[in-house]
Amino acid sequence: MKNIEFLRITSLRGPNIWTYRSALEAWIDIGELEDCPSNVIPGFNQRLTSWLPSLIEHRCSYGERGGFVQRLQDGTWPGHILEHVTLELQNLAGLPGGFGKARETSKRGVYKVVVRARHEQVTRAALYAARDLVMAAIEDRPFDVPAHIETLRGMVDSLCLGPSTACIVEAADQRRIPSLRLSAGNLVQLGHGARQRRIWTAETDQTSAIAESISRDKDLTKSLLQACGVPIPEGRLVDSAEDAWLAAEDIGLPVVVKPTDANHGRGVFIDLNTRTEVETAYAVALEEGSSVIVERFVRGNEHRLLIVGGKLAAATRGEPLSVTGDGKSTIRQLIDSQLNSDPRRGDLEEHPLNPILLDQEPIIRMELERQGFLPDAIPDAGKTVLIQRTGNVSIDVTAKVHPSVAAAAALAARIIGLDIAGVDLVAEDISQPLEKQRGAIVEVNAGPGLLMHLKPAEGEPQPVGEAIINHLFSGEENGRIPIVGVAGTHGKTVVSHLIARLLNLNGQHTGLACSDGLYFNNQQVEKNNCADWTGAHRVLLNRAVEAAVFENGGTTILSEGLAYDRCQVGVVTNIAANDQLPEYYIDDAEQMAKVLRTQVDIVLPTGVAVLNAADRLVAAMAELCDGDVIFFGMEQTLPVIVDHLAQDKRAVFVREGQIILSKGSREVMLARVATIPLTADGQPTFQTENVLAAVAATWALGISVDLIRACIETFNMEQVVPKTKPKKQNRSN
């Protein structure tokens, strides 16, 4: 039977054997299709490329536009095709993929297909849709491509980060600041452990709850701004429609009526000139908020200034919206044909402009009534009908803002207490001081939307995500704590414990996730095996953790990926000659080396790989490391160590019963093997190698030689994992 069967789908949530990023790995069985490359299936290539013409952009192994289409014509197999179709469906749904691989296994017809997964649920759905699409093209059956893309697009919109949060995360990624999504919403952790920061859209962990509450109270906001000399429109709270009119008479017409605590302009009526308008506006405004305020109408256009960390990051301007009659269409129809037809308008977060929904906007109906129209009226040809006095504030004017206006907006945000604020002001000319034109600041908002600055209707997009990241992480800060990852066949647990103990003695609150459990500052909080993604993730979330140590086996890398994107130190202890994981098609030590090298691949350029000089497969990983390398071994005469020291690099080894730290020809005698509990009294040789690995890792972290010596001369595994009964030593521990 010709079919593509999914045998297994694995979510790799971090660095893995394929990529530094999260990915989905699908094992598929193509059965009889192994004998059916694309160039022998009648009409297949034509159907596929007609359904997905954008596949022409896939470069594939040819490295040029049209490369994948050429592979189709040359003949390629369903696994490879599934990879590209999955990526393209994600692209069309608004979730760029980019990375993909398809590799055959040792079993005929069984392939591993890997694709970048920015969101597991969306990518999984795209993978299944891609399988159905490919099979439909093979079997010459119809397939509704637009419907499937629309379904995926809906998933992207509902499940993925919103554009405001996403732009901040992308800016963090550009600065190599790690990020962890903490909820199904927009709560994101930037950085790890004690150096982390948190954002929720455009709010941060520096955004005061008090300040946010003040910003929601428009009357309190105004009184604080006025007290500090910030120009605001005069006004007061009112408690009835009659009181609203009395306030309007006192202030002087025209006036503005709005709720004291609504957002996004809901219930805000401007330029009101009659008692009927004021009283009608009061009733609607009261429905949108808990109380109502009447204030002076300020002539000019509404502007939104984004203030980040006391500085202007972006500014946009709104303009009135109108339609022009044609003598045949109703106002309702003109709104749809002249305004809502704009592709920039829509309900999704990616749309910078909102649709005009006449039946849901009493402000628009009032505006029409002021001009003598009803929604179904037909204006004369050429007649201009005002729809909204202030449309979407989405025309970029950042470069035009007068310095004094920017300073006033920054002061307003500071008075309210917001580190990130959307300051609304009205002015006829934003390039002139407010005082000259009786301009005023009308609102200060917490958690401002960023889309208007990312996708302005006119003008240049502004790097607001970058501004927020630079505010949260100054200078060279990157939110990283020292992370040590320990991989290998044997000795991982002992090495991890010893490194964690040294970091604790160095005064760093240390988290350890290993096969013995989960530890914080030497205290065990979980007794189960925590040498996995979940255990490491828990450590990275902990705001008390100043350093972290993670034990990683081949199974973790293959089944979950690593929980951290990069590390300061990556240790590979050894690879046993018989090490294999046949359930993952890892059949020998050579293949296992390709798995465990992941730990070396993610060492930072400023970091260090600690490698066993006596293990050929481990020593060969040195060339894969972006940072430095420290070799360790039982003998100084190991060729790898000799060559390394000749290059004035570092190594740790044993000579005449003494552990030596050496950089080139410069040596430091650390301790005698006989004085170390782990290596004394006839302990096996591999325990000495474990100590050497831990010593090299902590030397790489800059821990003093005296502290390293004191720790290894007093450390014993029974201190952290007490024996419950005598048992034979196990090398794998």
Side-chain angles (χ1 to χ4, degrees):
M1 180 179 179
K2 294 180 179 178
N3 192 22
I4 300 174
E5 178 186 0
F6 288 118
L7 303 177
R8 175 177 184 170
I9 299 178
T10 301
S11 175
L12 301 172
R13 294 181 282 181
N16 50 79
I17 63 172
W18 307 102
T19 174
Y20 290 113
R21 307 288 188 170
S22 56
L24 215 59
E25 178 184 286
W27 296 7
I28 63 170
D29 187 345
I30 64 174
E32 296 178 16
L33 290 172
E34 181 69 23
D35 299 317
C36 302
S38 55
N39 60 347
V40 303
I41 303 174
F44 172 79
N45 292 345
Q46 292 77 14
R47 286 188 289 275
L48 184 63
T49 54
S50 65
W51 289 345
L52 295 173
S54 47
L55 285 173
I56 191 68
E57 301 299 333
H58 290 220
R59 303 169 71 87
C60 202
S61 57
Y62 284 96
E64 59 186 29
R65 185 175 185 269
F68 175 65
V69 173
Q70 183 62 50
R71 288 291 304 274
L72 289 173
Q73 295 168 355
D74 295 341
T76 191
W77 277 260
H80 183 211
I81 298 168
L82 180 68
E83 167 211 330
H84 281 271
V85 172
T86 302
L87 291 173
E88 189 54 32
L89 289 177
Q90 289 190 98
N91 286 336
L92 295 171
L95 191 69
F99 174 83
K101 291 281 186 184
R103 294 291 183 266
E104 60 184 332
T105 68
S106 56
K107 184 176 180 181
R108 174 178 165 81
V110 175
Y111 290 76
K112 293 181 180 181
V113 177
V114 185
V115 289
R116 173 81 164 93
R118 294 179 183 271
H119 192 287
E120 177 191 345
Q121 194 172 337
V122 176
T123 302
R124 191 179 291 266
L127 186 65
Y128 276 99
R131 189 270 305 272
D132 294 344
L133 186 154
V134 172
M135 288 307 304
I138 289 173
E139 297 169 354
D140 194 11
R141 292 185 285 104
F143 188 85
D144 193 342
V145 176
H148 281 79
I149 292 173
E150 189 61 32
T151 298
L152 292 172
R153 186 175 288 123
M155 293 180 69
V156 170
D157 186 56
S158 63
L159 298 175
C160 296
L161 292 174
S164 294
T165 308
C167 84
I168 301 172
V169 173
E170 288 168 8
D173 189 57
Q174 291 297 313
R175 289 235 341 234
R176 300 295 187 265
I177 296 169
S179 61
L180 303 171
R181 191 173 182 179
L182 301 182
S183 72
N186 289 311
L187 180 61
V188 176
Q189 174 180 315
L190 303 173
H192 293 148
R195 294 183 182 174
Q196 68 177 270
R197 306 301 304 275
R198 289 178 183 168
I199 60 168
W200 194 318
T201 313
E203 292 183 313
T204 78
D205 50 14
Q206 288 185 350
T207 302
S208 161
I210 294 176
E212 186 176 3
S213 297
I214 293 172
S215 71
R216 286 199 299 265
D217 188 328
K218 307 306 180 188
D219 188 54
L220 177 58
T221 296
K222 284 184 58 179
S223 66
L224 291 173
L225 296 181
Q226 184 178 36
C228 296
V230 175
I232 61 166
E234 304 81 6
R236 69 174 177 86
L237 285 171
V238 296
D239 55 18
S240 67
E242 182 179 356
D243 191 29
W245 174 243
L246 291 175
E249 288 185 308
D250 290 341
I251 295 167
L253 299 172
V255 294
V256 173
V257 174
K258 64 182 182 180
T260 58
D261 52 2
N263 292 315
H264 306 294
R266 287 189 291 267
V268 179
F269 295 82
I270 66 174
D271 197 11
L272 306 180
N273 289 277
T274 69
R275 180 168 188 162
T276 299
E277 291 176 350
V278 170
E279 293 181 345
T280 301
Y282 173 86
V284 177
L286 191 59
E287 293 178 359
E288 294 289 347
S290 59
S291 56
V292 177
I293 189 171
V294 177
E295 60 187 26
R296 171 174 63 89
F297 171 66
V298 181
R299 298 198 178 278
N301 291 317
E302 185 174 342
H303 297 76
R304 163 60 66 88
L305 274 61
L306 178 66
I307 302 298
V308 177
K311 299 178 182 178
L312 176 68
T316 52
R317 183 187 74 229
E319 287 189 340
L321 294 178
S322 61
V323 295
T324 303
D326 59 8
K328 298 179 292 182
S329 304
T330 66
I331 291 176
R332 189 186 305 274
Q333 291 169 333
L334 292 170
I335 288 174
D336 287 337
S337 63
Q338 296 180 19
L339 297 177
N340 287 339
S341 60
D342 188 333
R344 296 170 299 180
R345 292 189 183 276
D347 294 317
L348 300 180
E349 291 192 27
E350 65 187 40
H351 295 113
L353 301 177
N354 298 323
I356 305 299
L357 304 176
L358 196 152
D359 293 332
Q360 299 178 24
E361 296 288 349
I363 296 174
I364 296 178
R365 293 198 299 271
M366 176 181 283
E367 194 60 61
L368 293 177
E369 290 171 2
R370 294 170 70 177
Q371 300 170 76
F373 292 112
L374 293 174
D376 293 319
I378 300 176
D380 294 336
K383 173 68 175 178
T384 298
V385 180
L386 182 64
I387 303 300
Q388 277 185 327
R389 290 180 181 267
T390 301
N392 288 98
V393 184
S394 58
I395 299 171
D396 181 71
V397 293
T398 305
K400 299 179 180 179
V401 178
H402 191 276
S404 69
V405 176
L411 176 59
R414 186 177 180 184
I415 291 168
I416 302 306
L418 293 171
D419 62 325
I420 300 177
V423 178
D424 294 336
L425 61 83
V426 179
E428 293 180 295
D429 186 353
I430 198 67
S431 67
Q432 297 297 318
L434 295 177
E435 295 78 6
K436 289 186 176 181
Q437 50 188 320
R438 293 201 72 198
I441 290 176
V442 295
E443 287 188 13
V444 181
N445 300 283
L450 304 180
L451 189 59
M452 65 182 73
H453 307 299
L454 299 170
K455 293 184 177 181
E458 296 179 22
E460 294 296 318
Q462 298 299 318
V464 292
E466 181 180 335
I468 292 173
I469 288 298
N470 290 341
H471 161 60
L472 293 174
F473 298 93
S474 61
E476 298 299 316
E477 287 185 67
N478 57 18
R480 295 185 181 276
I481 59 174
I483 290 177
V484 181
V486 184
T489 304
H490 303 303
K492 302 183 295 295
T493 309
V494 173
V495 172
S496 297
H497 271 294
L498 185 47
I499 294 171
R501 176 57 61 88
L502 271 158
L503 286 166
N504 276 311
L505 290 176
N506 197 46
Q508 293 165 281
H509 190 108
T510 303
L512 166 64
C514 65
S515 57
D516 285 336
L518 187 66
Y519 297 78
F520 291 110
N521 223 29
N522 284 335
Q523 299 299 311
Q524 188 178 40
V525 298
E526 179 75 50
K527 292 184 179 181
N528 298 320
N529 183 351
C530 291
D532 54 19
W533 189 93
T534 301
H537 187 68
R538 290 173 64 183
V539 172
L540 297 175
L541 295 183
N542 192 316
R543 304 192 83 157
V545 170
E546 298 170 315
V549 182
F550 302 127
E551 176 187 339
N552 301 302
T555 301
T556 295
I557 295 171
L558 291 166
S559 64
E560 301 179 291
L562 299 177
Y564 49 99
D565 63 330
R566 304 301 292 264
C567 64
Q568 188 66 26
V569 178
V571 181
V572 183
T573 57
N574 46 63
I575 300 176
N578 61 349
D579 203 355
Q580 57 182 290
L581 290 169
E583 64 271 29
Y584 291 95
Y585 297 100
I586 304 300
D587 300 319
D588 55 40
E590 297 280 349
Q591 292 179 333
M592 182 59 74
K594 294 178 181 179
V595 176
L596 298 182
R597 64 163 279 185
T598 304
Q599 183 60 78
V600 176
D601 288 335
I602 63 170
V603 171
L604 287 162
T606 56
V608 178
V610 173
L611 305 175
N612 189 336
D615 189 310
R616 175 183 61 84
L617 294 175
V618 174
M621 296 178 187
E623 63 184 24
L624 307 173
C625 182
D626 291 337
D628 293 332
V629 173
I630 298 178
F631 283 111
F632 68 90
M634 291 296 295
E635 300 175 5
Q636 180 184 4
T637 56
L638 288 167
V640 170
I641 289 181
V642 171
D643 181 62
H644 202 59
L645 294 176
Q647 299 175 54
D648 200 35
K649 296 181 179 179
R650 292 189 284 178
V652 179
F653 51 84
V654 176
R655 186 177 65 212
E656 298 177 355
Q658 186 84 237
I659 295 178
I660 306 294
L661 280 60
S662 180
K663 184 179 189 301
S665 60
R666 299 175 297 282
E667 297 183 351
V668 175
M669 294 183 183
L670 181 66
R672 295 194 63 79
V673 173
T675 65
I676 301 171
L678 281 178
T679 60
D681 300 325
Q683 295 289 331
T685 301
F686 66 76
Q687 288 288 30
T688 303
E689 291 182 332
N690 292 338
V691 171
L692 295 178
V695 166
T698 49
W699 188 25
L701 291 170
I703 295 178
S704 73
V705 171
D706 289 340
L707 188 59
I708 296 174
R709 180 184 298 113
C711 180
I712 64 174
E713 289 183 343
T714 57
F715 178 83
N716 192 305
M717 279 298 290
E718 292 184 22
Q719 297 170 354
V720 289
V721 188
K723 291 184 179 180
T724 56
K725 61 180 180 179
K727 61 181 180 180
K728 188 176 180 179
Q729 282 193 317
N730 184 346
R731 177 176 166 85
S732 64
N733 290 328

